[in-house]
């Protein structure tokens, strides 16, 4: 029998057909449903982008209003989920908490599998997706309060998705400029073709399990430092560098040890990730208008990008989205271990759009392997083994 093709990391292997988003890794372009990411950041909102990703078209004002009202209505999380969270170690990483809490939601809305009729009912799937997108920020914010011994701050139905999250983690209605920054970040992180966590959505979803398992698996996949977890690593790296003057020496040491530079490199982009460019411009703009300070870490980040690009750019390795998102959140006063959960809150929209797309034309994922083990071994009973 011919040996199957093997592509490490599935590089270049198309795992699905999809009409949700598209990357041109050479030109450095990203679009959702054909709309350039820069236009969506400039003119849209996370709520509209989530619906665009799920349904494939820009919604009418009435449909967007209905979706937005639904999100606001479904922000509340059951008291029993809070009880489960009470017993989680406060020193645990918020991504671990989010993974457990989202999976636990499935037990309160039990649906072990989807019937054929449900799978074909896009309204039903949209409603399930909306409930998950609505509740993830509440769960993250509840944890942010509970781990410091505070009572969770109930969601406000009067605020947008982004503003409400900032309100729940701080207890104060946010500066509208900050709410707009977070909204833009949520848009930039909402979707990104078949990355590792979205691929996990396709695999898990293809078994017809419930969406809480699907999203729980994706959260676990996103948590790793090679994927979404890199945004926290970037801030830790910049803190470790400590000053603009130390950037060169830090790079020398990392590169001599063949260690990776966090927030750099991408499987698909061979140029600068367009999201990194938008985030950096946004920070410059906000700083020039007095909304953000130009902190030491931001200055180190700029120098780091300059020097790392000089060295790694010729190999096609440039700053990715995680490089500046962490710096931006840091400037907004958000704790570093919340960066990846915020990424997950945003990406839930893209994940659920892919889940819907997968269900519309489902076939269970079952790849093959190149077997490298022994063939016919002779079994020796344990008493006779030396
Ligand atoms: N710093 C230094 N060298 C790098 C980096 C980096 N950040 N990224 C890739 N390289 C080098 C590798 O050492 C390797 O060099 P070699 O050919 O001399 O051995 C070459 O580039 C290819 O690297 P791979 O790891 O094989 O590339 P792959 O496509 O498998 O991985 C990944 C992509 C995981 C993003 C990688 O670039 C990386 O680890 N980056 C750092 C972590 C990070 O920022 N992740 C966030 C990605 S964006 C996101 O998920 C939201």
């Amino acid at each position: 029998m011919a040996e199957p093709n093997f592509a490490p990391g599935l590089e270049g292997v198309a795992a699905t057909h999809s009409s949700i988003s598209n990357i041109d890794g050479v030109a450095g372009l990203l679009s959702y449903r054909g709309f350039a990411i820069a236009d969506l950041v400039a003119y849209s909102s996370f709520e509209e982008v989530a619906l665009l990703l799920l349904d494939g078209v820009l919604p009418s004002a009435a449909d967007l209003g209905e979706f937005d009202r639904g999100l606001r209505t479904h922000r509340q999380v059951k008291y029993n989920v809070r009880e489960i969270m009470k017993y989680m170690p406060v020193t645990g990483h918020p991504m671990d908490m989010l993974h457990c809490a989202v999976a636990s939601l499935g037990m309160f809305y039990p649906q072990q599998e989807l019937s054929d009729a449900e799978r074909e009912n896009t309204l039903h799937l949209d409603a399930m997706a909306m409930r998950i997108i609505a509740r993830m920020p509440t769960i993250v914010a509840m944890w942010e309060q509970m781990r410091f011994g505070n009572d969770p701050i109930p969601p406000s139905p009067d605020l947008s998705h982004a503003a409400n999250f900032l309100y729940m983690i701080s207890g104060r209605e946010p500066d509208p400029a900050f709410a707009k920054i977070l909204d833009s970040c949520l848009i930039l992180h909402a979707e990104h073709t078949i990355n590792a966590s979205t691929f996990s959505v396709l695999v898990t979803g293809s078994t017809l399990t419930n969406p809480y398992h699907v999203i729980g698996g994706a959260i676990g996949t996103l948590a790793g430092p090679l994927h979404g977890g890199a945004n926290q690593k970037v801030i830790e790296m910049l803190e470790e560098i400590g000053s603009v003057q130390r950037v060169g020496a830090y790079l020398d040491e990392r590169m001599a040890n063949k260690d990776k530079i966090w927030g750099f490199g991408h499987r698909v982009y061979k140029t600068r990730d367009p999201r990194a460019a938008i985030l950096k411009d946004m920070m410059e703009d906000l700083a020039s208008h007095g909304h953000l300070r130009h902190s030491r870490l931001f200055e180190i980040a700029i120098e780091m990008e300059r020097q790392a690009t000089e060295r790694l750019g010729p190999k096609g390795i440039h700053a990715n989205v995680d490089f500046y998102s962490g710096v931006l959140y840091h400037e907004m006063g958000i704790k570093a271990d919340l960066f990846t959960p915020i990424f997950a809150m945003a990406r839930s929209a893209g994940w659920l759009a892919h889940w819907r797309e997968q269900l519309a034309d489902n076939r269970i994922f079952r790849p093959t392997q190149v077997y490298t083990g022994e063939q016919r071994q002779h079994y020796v009973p344990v008493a006779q083994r030396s």
Side-chain angles (χ1 to χ4, degrees), residues 90-315:
V90 292
T91 50
H93 196 286
M95 279 301 271
D96 298 347
M97 174 285 302
L98 188 62
H99 191 176
C100 298
V102 168
S104 81
L105 288 180
M107 299 184 78
F108 298 102
Y109 308 96
Q111 183 150 26
Q112 283 309 311
E113 61 188 64
L114 292 166
S115 66
D116 287 348
E118 283 168 335
R119 266 191 290 137
E120 280 156 23
N121 181 346
T122 53
L123 290 177
H124 176 73
L125 298 181
D126 262 1
M128 292 178 94
M130 185 177 62
R131 286 199 288 269
I132 294 175
I133 297 168
R135 289 186 177 116
M136 280 176 59
T138 312
I139 292 172
V140 176
M142 277 166 68
W143 183 247
E144 177 59 2
Q145 297 299 343
M146 289 168 70
R147 65 177 171 159
F148 295 108
N150 303 323
D151 280 337
I153 294 170
S156 164
D158 301 327
L159 296 172
S160 71
H161 200 70
N164 174 57
F165 176 71
L166 291 173
Y167 164 68
M168 290 188 295
I169 59 169
S170 68
R172 292 181 306 278
E173 269 201 36
D175 176 339
F178 276 25
K180 173 66 191 145
I181 304 172
L182 183 64
D183 185 65
S184 301
C185 291
L186 296 179
I187 293 172
L188 288 172
H189 285 87
E191 162 61 11
H192 208 230
T193 76
I194 309 301
N195 51 78
S197 55
T198 303
F199 184 48
S200 105
V201 163
L202 300 185
V203 174
T204 315
S206 79
T207 70
L208 303 186
T209 188
N210 71 51
Y212 303 98
H213 284 311
V214 172
I215 300 304
I219 292 168
T221 312
L222 186 73
L226 296 187
H227 193 10
N231 54 13
Q232 182 177 345
K233 289 279 187 193
V234 169
I235 279 295
E236 290 165 3
M237 173 180 77
L238 299 176
E239 297 271 16
E240 189 189 334
I241 295 171
S243 72
V244 169
Q245 292 71 28
R246 285 208 60 241
V247 167
Y250 179 88
L251 275 171
D252 289 342
E253 193 186 321
R254 296 276 305 179
M255 293 183 71
N257 294 334
K258 294 206 171 299
D259 287 332
K260 289 200 168 153
I261 310 301
W262 301 112
F264 267 73
H266 201 276
R267 177 66 63 77
V268 185
Y269 294 116
K270 297 304 157 209
T271 184
R272 198 176 188 216
D273 181 334
R275 300 167 299 172
I278 293 173
L279 286 167
K280 185 181 173 209
D281 289 351
M282 203 189 299
M283 271 195 292
E284 300 274 18
D285 187 50
L286 289 159
S288 70
H289 288 90
H291 291 297
L292 284 180
R293 57 210 159 94
H294 240 201
S295 77
R296 182 177 52 94
L297 288 193
F298 185 32
E299 300 296 347
I300 300 171
I302 290 174
E303 182 58 14
M304 180 75 173
E305 189 190 6
R306 193 186 67 74
Q307 291 199 30
T309 306
E310 249 172 43
R311 300 182 195 206
L312 296 169
K315 281 179 79 177

